[in-house]
Structures are given as structure tokens and as C-alpha cells.
């Protein structure tokens, strides 16, 4: 049997993670700024890595191709599995909603100088975006695979040129916020956690990694290095933006609820080279599109299985309607800001990224203990890790709702 490289699996995990975080983290981190944002993001990355490892530990009593849903249903029961699956679907749906809204805003901003579609132009662009690019998902997984390769190449190239262009203009005064000697930072780091958690949501792919390698040990390191690659990319992106934008310049972006078109506009105002502006815009579009198609495929397959739609043209059309139509309608009627939508995703994602993995491994350890058998793959830390992960997940959900009701300090710029 051919052994797959750890790097290959790490790239898969990294590509699953990178998307919403790349676009949402800079604005969400503005209050905490460079140091405290880095601390919060690294801590979240470590928690999400541990929770993925706990999933691996709970899977080992099952067939190598057992899914997240199968293991959860068997160990925790139908009710918990239903809630877990509903949470996975909700996060997928809210992300599609966020990407649909963001695409309309970005495309409108890029085309407004030569195409005027009136006051509903952003919504029209959102409709066109969904109709065109969701067709790849409707067509086949193979079509998604092909366009995903092109998008990843485009993201890689535009990210490199964007970072290079921003790096040469980094101001250390901006990056370290040296002119704001009385500013508070740590109190704003708390609000960052729901966005940061969403940025490391790969857990529905853990079962795929285990099947890919045929063992837990290799999957463990693929997960670690994949999440680490995502962390490095996030920090490079945040440092590059913070080095070019003063902390106070995030005020209009925050006022518009973190909408991507506003961030791109503000960033474009401080960059002199038009080529760098174009690269940043191209990267943002590629990131939104790549995430939209990737998340869309996952939700499409999930709902096709849930509703038992077949793989015929009619069956796939039904799956397309239940996948893309509700987020599009909600986006047209209630266009929430990008960060608000991602925050909701983070709050609900705590169920399947923190709480359920902890409960699964607690159950599997007890089952093995009663049989006096030893787990061949086990995450160190004992019950302390389980408790820590549950506490972290519950607190992230609480943080989101406290922030939603203005019960936490709000950075205004």
C-alpha cells in the first residue's frame, strides 16, 4: 500500500481552514492589534489541533472509513448526532450566506466605475455569483476539483504578490501601534475568539484524513502541520495589513460590520502601486470563491444524503436548490455584515469542534477501560484536556452572544 506524504495531507487541512479566517481575522483583530491578536489566534489553533486529535482517538474503535456522523451516533446517540449534524449544516449555511453577501459587495466595488446596476447592484452581483459558480457544484465533484486547483494556484500567486507588495511598505509604528501609548489591547482579544475558531474549522475532514493514511499517527501530524500552515498564512496576512493600516483606520471597516469591500477600499487608499491593489483584490475574490465552492460542495453532499436525493440531473437540481437558494435569499433580504455572520458560525461551530470531540473521547476511554484494553492512539493530558476543551468551547459561544448584546468592550477604531 502506497504511503501518502504528511505534507500532502497537511495541504488538504490547510486549504479547508483558509478562507473565512483570511478575510475576517484582520478586522476582528483590530482591537487586540498585533501582540494580543497573535496570542489569541495561536491559543485557538492549539485548542483546535487538540480537538482534532481527540476525534482521531475516538475513531480508532471503528472501521477506517467511519464518518463523524457514524461515530457520534454510535457513541452519543441519535439526539446528540442530530444536534451535531444540524450544527455542521448551520455553519456551512451561514458561511455560504457570508460568502454570497461578500461576493456581491466586492464585485460591485470593482465594477462600479464602468458598470452601474443601480442601488441593488450588490445584490445583483450576488445572484450572478451564485448562479455561475454554484453550477460547478451542481455539475460534479470532478468539476469542483478542477476549478479548485486553479483557484488554489491563483490564491497562492496573488497571496505571494500581495504579501510582497505589502511587506515592503510595512510601518513598524503601525505594526506596533507606537503612537497610541494609552491604548487598550487585551480587553478586545476576547471578542476575537469566535472568528478565530471558525478560521480553524477542519473537523469534518478528520475522518477523511484517517481513511487517507490508514492510521491515526500520520493523520495526527497531517492535522498539526495543516493547522500550522494556516496559522502562518493568517499571521503573515494580518501583520502585512497591520503594517500598512494604522489602527484608527479600521474605524470605517468596523462601522460597516467588517464588510470586505470596505476593507479593500481602505487598504487601497494607502497603497501606491496599482499592481499590489489588483493582487489584493484578486486574492480576496479567489479566497471567497474557493471557500464558497468548497463549503458549497460539503453542504450539497450532506443535504443530498439527508434528503436521499439521487445523482440524476433532477436529483442534483433539488440538492442545489436546498443548498444555495436559502443562503442567497437570506443574503438578498438580510445582508448582515461579514464579521457578524462569521461570528454566528463560530458560536455554533463550538458544538462540533470542541464539545462533541471531548464527549466522544470521554466515552471511548470509558468503554476501553471497562474492557481493560489500552487505546493504541491516545492524546496526552487525560481528563484535563477534555475539561479544557469543553470550557473553551462553551466560553467561545458565550463570548459571541455577549458581544452580540454589547456586553463586551467594543473597539470602534
Amino acid at each position: 500500500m502506497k504511503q501518502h506524504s504528511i505534507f500532502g495531507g497537511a495541504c488538504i487541512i490547510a486549504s479547508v481552514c483558509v478562507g473565512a479566517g483570511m478575510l475576517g481575522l484582520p478586522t476582528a483583530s483590530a482591537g487586540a492589534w498585533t501582540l494580543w491578536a497573535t496570542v489569541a489566534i495561536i491559543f485557538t489553533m492549539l485548542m483546535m489541533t487538540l480537538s482534532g486529535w481527540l476525534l482521531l482517538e475516538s475513531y480508532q474503535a471503528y472501521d477506517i472509513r467511519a464518518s463523524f456522523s457514524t461515530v457520534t451516533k454510535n457513541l452519543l446517540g441519535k439526539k446528540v448526532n442530530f444536534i451535531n449534524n444540524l450544527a455542521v449544516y448551520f455553519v456551512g449555511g451561514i458561511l455560504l450566506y457570508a460568502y454570497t453577501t461578500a461576493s456581491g459587495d466586492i464585485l460591485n466595488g470593482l465594477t462600479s466605475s464602468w458598470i452601474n446596476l443601480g442601488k441593488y447592484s450588490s445584490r445583483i452581483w450576488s445572484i450572478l455569483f451564485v448562479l455561475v459558480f454554484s453550477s460547478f457544484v451542481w455539475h460534479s465533484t470532478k468539476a469542483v476539483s478542477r476549478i479548485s486547483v486553479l483557484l488554489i494556484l491563483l490564491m497562492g500567486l496573488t497571496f505571494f504578490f500581495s504579501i510582497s507588495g505589502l511587506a515592503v511598505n510595512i510601518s513598524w509604528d503601525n505594526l506596533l501601534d507606537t503612537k497610541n501609548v494609552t491604548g487598550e489591547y487585551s480587553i478586545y482579544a476576547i471578542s476575537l475568539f469566535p472568528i478565530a475558531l471558525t478560521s480553524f474549522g477542519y473537523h469534518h475532514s478528520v475522518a477523511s484524513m484517517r481513511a487517507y493514511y490508514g492510521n491515526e499517527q500520520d493523520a495526527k501530524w497531517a492535522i498539526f502541520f495543516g493547522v500550522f500552515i494556516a496559522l502562518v498564512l493568517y499571521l503573515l496576512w494580518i501583520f502585512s495589513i497591520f503594517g500598512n493600516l494604522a489602527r484608527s483606520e479600521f474605524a470605517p471597516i468596523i462601522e460597516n460590520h467588517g464588510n470586505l469591500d470596505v476593507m479593500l477600499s481602505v487598504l487601497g487608499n494607502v497603497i501606491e502601486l496599482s499592481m499590489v491593489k489588483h493582487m489584493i483584490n484578486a486574492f480576496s475574490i479567489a479566497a471567497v470563491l474557493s471557500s464558497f465552492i468548497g463549503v458549497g460542495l460539503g453542504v450539497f453532499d450532506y443535504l443530498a444524503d439527508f434528503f436521499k436525493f439521487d445523482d440524476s440531473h433532477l436529483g442534483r437540481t433539488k440538492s442545489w436548490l436546498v443548498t444555495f437558494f436559502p443562503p442567497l435569499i437570506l443574503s438578498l433580504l438580510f445582508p448582515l455584515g461579514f464579521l457578524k455572520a462569521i461570528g454566528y458560525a463560530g458560536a455554533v461551530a463550538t458544538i462540533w469542534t470542541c464539545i462533541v470531540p471531548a464527549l466522544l473521547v470521554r466515552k471511548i476511554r470509558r468503554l476501553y477501560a471497562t474492557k481493560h484494553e489500552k487505546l493504541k492512539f491516545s492524546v496526552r493530558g487525560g481528563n484535563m484536556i477534555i475539561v479544557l476543551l469543553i470550557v473553551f468551547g462553551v466560553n467561545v459561544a458565550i463570548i459571541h452572544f455577549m458581544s452580540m448584546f454589547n456586553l463586551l468592550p467594543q473597539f470602534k477604531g
Side-chain angles (χ1 to χ4, degrees):
M1 181 178 176
K2 182 181 178 182
Q3 185 63 41
H4 298 290
S5 73
I6 300 298
F7 180 72
C11 287
I12 293 172
I13 293 294
S15 66
V16 171
C17 290
V18 174
M22 194 67 81
L23 303 170
L25 280 174
T27 304
S29 303
W33 211 239
T34 307
L35 176 61
W36 282 99
T38 301
V39 171
I41 293 169
I42 290 176
F43 182 75
T44 305
M45 171 262 186
L46 293 173
M47 289 293 97
M48 293 298 93
T49 301
L50 284 172
S51 63
W53 288 358
L54 289 182
L55 280 180
L56 279 177
E57 182 177 340
S58 65
Y59 289 169
Q60 63 187 300
Y62 295 85
D63 181 80
I64 199 68
R65 300 198 177 278
S67 68
F68 193 3
S69 178
T70 298
V71 176
T72 304
K73 183 178 179 180
N74 188 264
L75 288 178
L76 302 179
K78 291 181 179 179
K79 290 182 180 179
V80 174
N81 187 50
F82 176 78
I83 293 170
N84 190 55
N85 284 339
L86 193 64
V88 172
Y89 168 68
F90 177 85
V91 172
I94 202 75
L95 288 177
L96 286 177
Y97 163 89
Y99 295 139
T100 299
T101 307
S103 67
D105 292 334
I106 294 174
L107 291 171
N108 178 53
L110 292 176
T111 60
S112 58
S113 60
W114 52 282
I115 296 179
N116 185 2
L117 298 176
K119 66 176 183 178
Y120 296 113
S121 56
S122 291
R123 289 173 171 83
I124 293 171
W125 279 116
S126 290
I127 293 171
L128 293 173
F129 177 87
V130 171
L131 290 177
V132 172
F133 295 109
S134 66
S135 64
F136 290 96
V137 177
W138 174 87
H139 185 273
S140 64
T141 302
K142 189 175 182 179
V144 171
S145 176
R146 286 178 174 176
I147 193 173
S148 294
V149 171
L150 294 175
L151 288 171
I152 288 170
L153 289 174
L154 178 60
M155 281 179 63
L157 288 171
T158 53
F159 180 76
F160 174 78
F161 286 114
S162 297
I163 291 296
S164 300
L166 291 170
V168 296
N169 295 308
I170 283 179
S171 161
W172 289 101
D173 286 337
N174 283 347
L175 188 62
L176 302 177
D177 200 30
T178 56
K179 295 179 182 178
N180 187 9
V181 294
T182 59
E184 290 284 350
Y185 303 97
S186 58
I187 59 172
Y188 299 117
I190 298 172
S191 300
L192 171 58
F193 282 108
I195 312 296
L197 186 143
T198 309
S199 306
F200 293 105
Y202 63 91
H203 297 66
H204 51 288
S205 300
V206 171
S208 300
M209 283 292 100
R210 180 170 173 256
Y212 183 67
Y213 289 105
N215 65 81
E216 290 79 23
Q217 198 63 36
D218 287 346
K220 166 188 173 181
W221 291 113
I223 288 170
F224 173 78
F225 288 115
V227 177
F228 182 75
I229 289 170
L231 172 70
V232 172
L233 293 176
Y234 288 150
L235 293 182
L236 282 174
W237 181 240
I238 289 171
F239 293 168
S240 298
I241 291 178
F242 284 0
N244 282 268
L245 283 182
R247 194 166 177 242
S248 59
E249 289 178 292
F250 276 87
I253 307 172
I254 295 168
E255 188 178 346
N256 286 277
H257 309 295
N259 284 347
L260 298 180
D261 59 315
V262 181
M263 187 182 81
L264 294 175
S265 176
V266 172
L267 196 57
N269 291 335
V270 300
I271 298 171
E272 296 180 2
L273 294 175
S274 60
M275 178 59 74
V276 178
K277 294 180 186 179
H278 293 324
M279 287 297 104
I280 293 172
N281 286 331
F283 168 72
S284 299
I285 293 170
V288 168
L289 180 51
S290 178
S291 298
F292 173 82
I293 291 176
V295 172
L297 178 63
V299 176
F300 182 94
D301 289 340
Y302 169 79
L303 291 179
D305 178 64
F306 183 81
F307 289 111
K308 306 303 178 188
F309 294 144
D310 61 32
D311 204 37
S312 65
H313 285 337
L314 178 61
R316 293 188 73 84
T317 300
K318 291 177 182 177
S319 298
W320 179 90
L321 282 171
V322 296
T323 299
F324 295 104
F325 197 64
L328 175 60
I329 294 301
L330 288 173
S331 173
L332 298 177
L333 296 177
F334 311 104
L336 278 178
F338 188 76
L339 279 188
K340 277 191 175 182
I342 301 301
Y344 278 111
V348 177
T350 57
I351 294 172
W352 51 274
T353 61
C354 298
I355 298 170
V356 167
L359 294 178
L360 285 173
V361 86
R362 178 172 172 267
K363 187 67 178 286
I364 204 71
R365 286 178 181 177
R366 286 188 172 183
L367 287 175
Y368 268 71
T370 57
K371 296 177 182 178
H372 303 288
E373 295 180 13
K374 189 175 181 181
L375 289 159
K376 62 179 181 179
F377 173 81
S378 183
V379 181
R380 293 182 180 180
N383 289 330
M384 184 182 72
I385 293 297
I386 296 174
V387 173
L388 178 63
L389 198 58
I390 292 175
V391 169
F392 175 73
V394 170
N395 276 307
V396 169
I398 291 171
I399 286 166
H400 167 73
F401 290 108
M402 287 181 69
S403 180
M404 189 173 74
F405 291 108
N406 297 316
L407 298 176
L408 290 176
Q410 303 287 323
F411 179 70
K412 303 293 183 181

